Amino acid sequence: MHKIIIGLAAVAVLTAGCNLEEDPVAVQSADPGKSAGKSSGATKRKTFPIKLTAKRAHASKSVLSEGGALSCVKVTVTNQTKKQLEVNPLYFSITDTKNTKHDSSPALGEYEDQIATTELAPGEKATGLVCAKGSFRPKVLAMTNPLFDEAARAQVAP
């Protein structure tokens, strides 16, 4: 009985610090002069640790392409933190105008100029394409960190 009480107490202590309903990451506007959220009288330009800019794009198919439609976004990732930032094409997803999330991993290798796997020093940028299989209109591009927690989101410009 004593072991059960200690076990339950340990579980309670470990889960007490967990925030199961995390606040969503703010969506960066496709228009650099405006915020993506509701506007107020005085709009402050918000700075994000990871700056994403995203614009709809067309990709050239690679020799590894299996055919089929691809919906693509040209992304620029800017590291505005004071630490190294890992960038990987596996860290991206695209949400369409119907709010369906599309994973980018099934389309890897099917197109040219995909964003590179790299580490960005503070202030550095990386640019490349992120594509997902299917024909849809991209609305929001999301990037995760190496632990697959969402790190940044941006509206996709037309």
Side-chain angles (χ1 to χ4, degrees):
M1 182 69 170
H2 184 48
K3 289 181 182 180
I4 293 173
I5 293 173
I6 291 174
L8 290 174
V11 169
V13 168
L14 292 174
T15 59
C18 295
N19 185 3
L20 298 177
E21 293 184 27
E22 294 179 9
D23 292 335
V25 174
V27 178
Q28 299 173 42
S29 175
D31 182 357
K34 296 182 180 179
S35 70
K38 296 180 182 177
S39 61
S40 60
T43 53
K44 293 181 184 176
R45 188 166 180 185
K46 185 173 181 177
T47 58
F48 295 91
I50 300 170
K51 181 180 175 189
L52 291 182
T53 57
K55 185 174 181 174
R56 287 180 53 207
H58 177 75
S60 300
K61 298 204 177 191
S62 74
V63 295
L64 301 175
S65 177
E66 297 175 359
L70 291 174
S71 295
C72 301
V73 174
K74 182 176 183 179
V75 61
T76 299
V77 180
T78 306
N79 182 4
Q80 299 184 141
T81 70
K82 294 181 181 182
K83 299 178 181 178
Q84 293 286 103
L85 175 67
E86 291 184 42
V87 177
N88 188 314
L90 294 171
Y91 296 170
F92 292 91
S93 65
I94 303 170
T95 301
D96 65 23
T97 54
K98 296 178 182 174
N99 291 326
T100 302
K101 189 174 183 178
H102 302 269
D103 185 18
S104 65
S105 61
L108 289 179
E110 296 224 3
Y111 56 95
E112 301 291 332
D113 300 324
Q114 76 184 18
I115 193 152
T117 299
T118 187
E119 275 197 21
L120 299 177
E124 284 188 325
K125 297 179 183 182
T127 300
L129 292 177
V130 174
C131 298
K133 288 192 174 190
S135 181
F136 58 89
R137 186 175 183 95
K139 177 180 162 186
V140 174
L141 178 77
M143 179 182 164
T144 64
N145 61 23
L147 299 174
F148 296 103
D149 292 324
E150 196 167 86
R153 295 170 55 110
Q155 288 181 340
V156 178

